[in-house]
Amino acid sequence: MITNIIESHILLNYLLTIVISIIMALILKLPLLPEKPRRFSWTNGALFPTPIIAIGILAIMYSTKFYWIYDGFVLAIVIAISAALFVKYLFDYVFPKPNLGEYSE
């Protein structure tokens, strides 16, 4: 369904997506922060990359003017849950960990 929504609904949907994706990632037992040393850590966490992927997909949907129902609230929830599931189960297959060479221990 293609409709125009106001900016406050878009901002609310972004915040809803961030909060739900973090909560869902914590329910799926992703760590909140990556392991130390954080500079060379490739551990997926609840704060990164889960909400970043969720708001990116939501931004793509809004740029194509696809809001779905209830001014995008349902779309924001579905994208947040699917982003957390993607990071937990498919992220390492789509984006494999790099070979660090001299930095690997």
Side-chain angles (χ1 to χ4, degrees):
M1 178 177 203
I2 300 175
T3 60
N4 291 326
I5 62 174
I6 56 178
E7 289 84 12
S8 63
H9 284 193
I10 292 176
L11 181 64
L12 183 65
N13 288 343
Y14 281 131
L15 293 175
L16 182 71
T17 303
I18 291 170
V19 170
I20 290 178
S21 66
I22 291 172
I23 291 171
M24 190 66 190
L26 291 174
I27 289 172
L28 291 171
K29 306 230 187 282
L30 283 172
L32 186 63
L33 293 173
E35 60 191 23
K36 291 185 179 180
R38 290 188 179 99
R39 185 174 188 188
F40 297 112
S41 175
W42 294 97
T43 305
N44 297 331
L47 293 180
F48 183 81
T50 307
I52 308 303
I53 291 173
I55 62 173
I57 294 171
L58 189 63
I60 291 171
M61 292 296 170
Y62 285 160
S63 67
T64 59
K65 299 196 184 299
F66 181 73
Y67 302 128
W68 207 16
I69 55 176
Y70 298 118
D71 292 331
F73 288 121
V74 176
L75 183 67
I77 293 169
V78 169
I79 287 175
I81 292 171
S82 62
L85 290 171
F86 172 77
V87 169
K88 173 70 177 179
Y89 296 111
L90 295 174
F91 189 81
D92 290 331
Y93 294 111
V94 176
F95 304 108
K97 295 180 181 177
N99 184 8
L100 296 177
E102 65 187 50
Y103 296 112
S104 63
E105 295 179 18

